[in-house]
Amino acid sequence: MTAVRATAPRTPLGRRFGLLMGALLLSSLGNGLCFPFTSIYISQLLGLGGRAAGGYFIAMAAASFAAALAGGPLADRGSPHQVGALGGAALAVGYALLAPAGSVALVLASGVCVGAGFGLFYASIVGIVDTAVPESGRRSAFAIRHIVNNAGIGLGSVAAGLALHGAATPVGALRWLYLANGLAALPLIAVTLGVRPRARPGHGPAGLSPSPPLPETGAPPQTPRSRGEAPHTAEPHIDAAGKGWGEEKPAEPSGGGPTYRTLLRARPMALLILAQALFAIVGFTQIEATVPLLMHDRMAVTLGWVSAVVAANSFALIALQPLLRRRLERLPETVSLAAGPVLWTVAFGCGLGAALAGEAAPAAVRYGLLLAFAVIFAAGELMYSSAFYPLLLRWSGEEAVGRASALASLAWNLGTASGPPIGLFVVANASATGSWLALALGAAAAFTVAAALHGRTAGGV
């Protein structure tokens, strides 16, 4: 049987998923055109000052928080596709408003629209992706979605750099880039609505079939040895106390389901949401904000090599996904999730090795270790992206996917807001070796949460 599973055919993800990823790539590319320059654009180029720029981000954060909380139940009661399309429309309007912006009021209105757009979209995207692929393709689908999002932002940033290079009037060039960003969200709206499955008799509002009950085994949920073998197997739910794995769940009326409080009272779900915040704090934000500064300011790495390391991480994501896909699908999701921060710890260890080697070391050793950091970190990202959202889907149940997605989005926002200041504080107050060591310890802390999650589910509750 093992040999059969090892050579099992790859699950086709389908045309709907391909269309969705194409539209997401275009939208992410639009975001990449603008997001590095927003604070500079508002405060300096528009001449509105730092308070206006700060107000934009505060308005965006507050609107995103409120929209995510509201969008989760909306996605559960109706269709995640409608909520996602509404979020895409808000993004299009918000970014387009920044193109002609010349007053604080218009800037704040843009921030509210953009924040609401992100809140609604990320509260619905998990359900949208899930309905576009077969169950056996979930893990690959969410890993690919992570890659597409990063690739789009990277390509957009490169395009923006070329467009702004030598521009006589950068404010004029940026106005066009914000308009292009707004227009890039329009295909996402159309595709999100277009890939919506049609409701069939006996199915839910989004065309999802209610899960048949599982026998009362009392056993913890296990990852199917081969997801392709049983695509319609029901997944267990978590009750309010985190118990009852595999128990039959009574049918609930459409639009009902667990509340936010009920989801968070389930210990495994609470640990999963905590892990999401920690992964953002100690992992994703550190490679985006802290590591480039650490290499440049504390290790005298040139800007060219900083860019090369960041680019190596992006390219490694694309190259490693097809290589690791089969291995990832054979790993239980909780094991894969815990492996992510382990790989990040090793990656930060490579950075520590480069710092200890110092400028006197051969360039091949020093820069080779930094490139190894980028590649190993990318492998950890794939471990996370292939496991987190499938777990979220499985443990929330179809009736609470929107609420669970909203909680994950809020945890991510908390992490991305707090991670950079923490990392920059470390770099400002520690040496290069101390900074890399602190980053490794942070990744180890995230592992303890993921390991506790695996231990709780594998051992029963």
Side-chain angles (χ1 to χ4, degrees):
M1 292 296 292
T2 302
V4 173
R5 291 190 191 103
T7 58
R10 179 178 296 179
T11 302
L13 297 180
R15 177 174 173 271
R16 290 194 301 159
F17 179 74
L19 287 173
L20 184 61
M21 289 301 101
L24 181 62
L25 177 65
L26 185 59
S27 178
S28 298
L29 192 152
N31 291 338
L33 292 175
C34 302
F35 88 92
F37 312 110
T38 299
S39 59
I40 299 173
Y41 174 70
I42 295 172
S43 63
Q44 296 181 14
L45 299 181
L46 295 182
L48 298 177
R51 288 188 178 182
Y56 171 86
F57 289 106
I58 291 172
M60 184 173 69
S64 178
F65 184 90
L69 287 178
L74 285 174
D76 292 334
R77 285 197 297 267
S79 164
H81 301 77
Q82 294 172 346
V83 175
L86 183 61
L91 286 173
V93 172
Y95 284 122
L97 281 176
L98 272 183
S103 66
V104 174
L106 203 55
V107 165
L108 294 179
S110 170
V112 169
C113 289
V114 171
F118 279 123
L120 292 172
F121 188 76
Y122 285 109
S124 61
I125 186 61
V126 177
I128 294 171
V129 171
D130 188 45
T131 58
V133 298
E135 183 183 351
S136 55
R138 274 180 181 174
R139 298 187 69 174
S140 293
F142 284 106
I144 291 171
R145 179 219 160 199
H146 177 75
I147 294 169
V148 165
N149 188 59
N150 282 274
I153 290 176
L155 290 172
S157 298
V158 171
L162 293 174
L164 293 171
H165 180 69
T169 56
V171 64
L174 275 169
R175 289 188 190 277
W176 283 109
L177 291 181
Y178 280 108
L179 180 60
N181 193 4
L183 293 174
L186 296 180
L188 185 61
I189 301 170
V191 172
T192 297
L193 292 174
V195 301
R196 178 175 47 183
R198 295 179 180 179
R200 298 185 298 275
H203 289 66
L208 296 172
S209 177
S211 298
L214 292 175
E216 294 191 19
T217 61
Q222 301 293 330
T223 301
R225 294 181 180 178
S226 176
R227 283 187 173 273
E229 294 176 4
H232 300 297
T233 300
E235 299 286 4
H237 300 271
I238 303 175
D239 65 15
K243 299 181 180 181
W245 298 106
E247 295 175 2
E248 182 176 346
K249 181 176 177 64
E252 298 189 31
S254 177
T259 63
Y260 287 119
R261 173 181 285 187
T262 304
L263 286 172
L264 290 176
R265 284 176 61 193
R267 185 62 62 84
M269 180 63 77
L271 286 172
L272 188 65
I273 298 302
L274 176 60
Q276 172 83 326
L278 282 176
F279 286 5
I281 292 171
V282 307
F284 292 100
T285 59
Q286 301 310 321
I287 194 172
E288 293 171 0
T290 305
V291 169
L293 182 67
L294 170 58
M295 289 190 293
H296 183 262
D297 286 9
R298 294 297 188 187
M299 299 175 64
V301 175
T302 64
L303 288 176
W305 268 104
V306 170
S307 298
V309 170
V310 174
N313 174 257
S314 298
F315 290 130
L317 280 171
I318 299 171
L320 289 175
Q321 197 276 334
L323 296 177
L324 297 179
R325 177 174 178 171
R326 291 185 181 275
R327 295 180 182 273
L328 291 175
E329 290 177 348
R330 288 198 294 266
L331 283 176
E333 288 100 330
T334 52
V335 173
S336 182
L337 194 71
V342 171
L343 288 171
W344 289 348
T345 303
V346 175
F348 289 134
C350 291
L352 176 62
L356 290 173
E359 296 181 58
V365 173
R366 190 174 186 227
Y367 294 120
L369 285 170
L370 290 176
L371 292 174
F373 152 77
V375 174
I376 296 172
F377 195 95
E381 290 184 71
L382 289 174
M383 290 288 180
Y384 154 84
S385 60
S386 73
F388 178 82
Y389 287 106
L391 282 173
L392 192 77
L393 276 163
R394 178 145 59 97
W395 290 349
S396 65
E398 291 174 1
E399 72 279 4
V401 170
R403 292 174 177 86
S405 301
L407 288 174
S409 176
L410 294 174
W412 182 264
N413 289 339
L414 174 64
T416 55
S418 57
I422 293 173
L424 297 179
F425 175 83
V426 169
V427 172
N429 293 277
S431 63
T433 55
S435 297
W436 285 111
L437 182 60
L439 292 174
L441 291 174
F447 165 75
T448 61
V449 175
L453 179 64
H454 172 69
R456 191 168 185 88
T457 55
V461 287

